[in-house]
Amino acid sequence: MEKKSYKKGTKIIRMGDIGEFFYVVDSGNIQFEKLEGVPLGSIGRGGTFGELALLYDCPRSVTCIAITDVVLWRVDQMTVRNVKATYAVKDQAAGDAISKIPFLAPLHQSLRDWL
């Protein structure tokens, strides 16, 4: 896991790129765009993005832009897959196991359930 800072306006993920990292927002705000300049939504502290391309080996589906200065924690694809495989248990037990992993504990419950 690596802490990274980005300035306002930085394109952190570009639609169509190969996925390398999953991100957790420590501070600041990220906006998602499918078309240049057309926002789909945004997230702030505690939000996550970038997991789908890692889990499904598909290109990035949106562009993610820092709309303020941001601090992110990023996790590489191999680590995401190893964590998922290591803690592959069913139903509630999976959520319990994932919540015990320090960098995943802050994730929203619905995302922990999905992992």
Side-chain angles (χ1 to χ4, degrees):
M1 187 166 199
E2 179 182 21
K3 190 175 188 176
K4 297 287 283 186
S5 297
Y6 298 90
K7 294 290 185 189
K8 178 181 177 180
T10 303
K11 290 184 179 178
I12 298 158
I13 289 177
R14 293 177 188 272
M15 186 170 66
D17 284 356
I18 301 300
E20 296 181 60
F21 297 98
F22 163 72
Y23 297 88
V24 179
V25 180
D26 187 275
S27 65
N29 294 290
I30 303 292
Q31 179 172 286
F32 307 114
E33 295 181 353
K34 193 83 162 173
L35 301 171
E36 186 79 28
V38 181
L40 291 174
S42 63
I43 58 170
R45 182 175 174 78
T48 62
F49 61 100
E51 70 281 356
L52 296 179
L54 298 184
L55 294 172
Y56 299 111
D57 284 325
C58 60
R60 298 294 192 175
S61 59
V62 297
T63 296
C64 303
I65 303 167
I67 55 176
T68 64
D69 288 350
V70 296
V71 176
L72 305 174
W73 290 93
R74 69 183 197 175
V75 182
D76 66 272
Q77 183 177 33
M78 188 59 70
T79 301
V80 169
R81 287 185 173 183
N82 285 340
V83 167
K84 188 169 192 258
T86 301
Y87 293 92
V89 290
K90 292 200 175 245
D91 304 319
Q92 184 60 38
D96 292 345
I98 289 171
S99 69
K100 293 175 185 168
I101 302 168
F103 71 87
L104 295 177
L107 298 179
H108 188 274
Q109 182 64 45
S110 62
L111 185 55
R112 287 198 312 256
D113 290 345
W114 176 79
L115 287 172

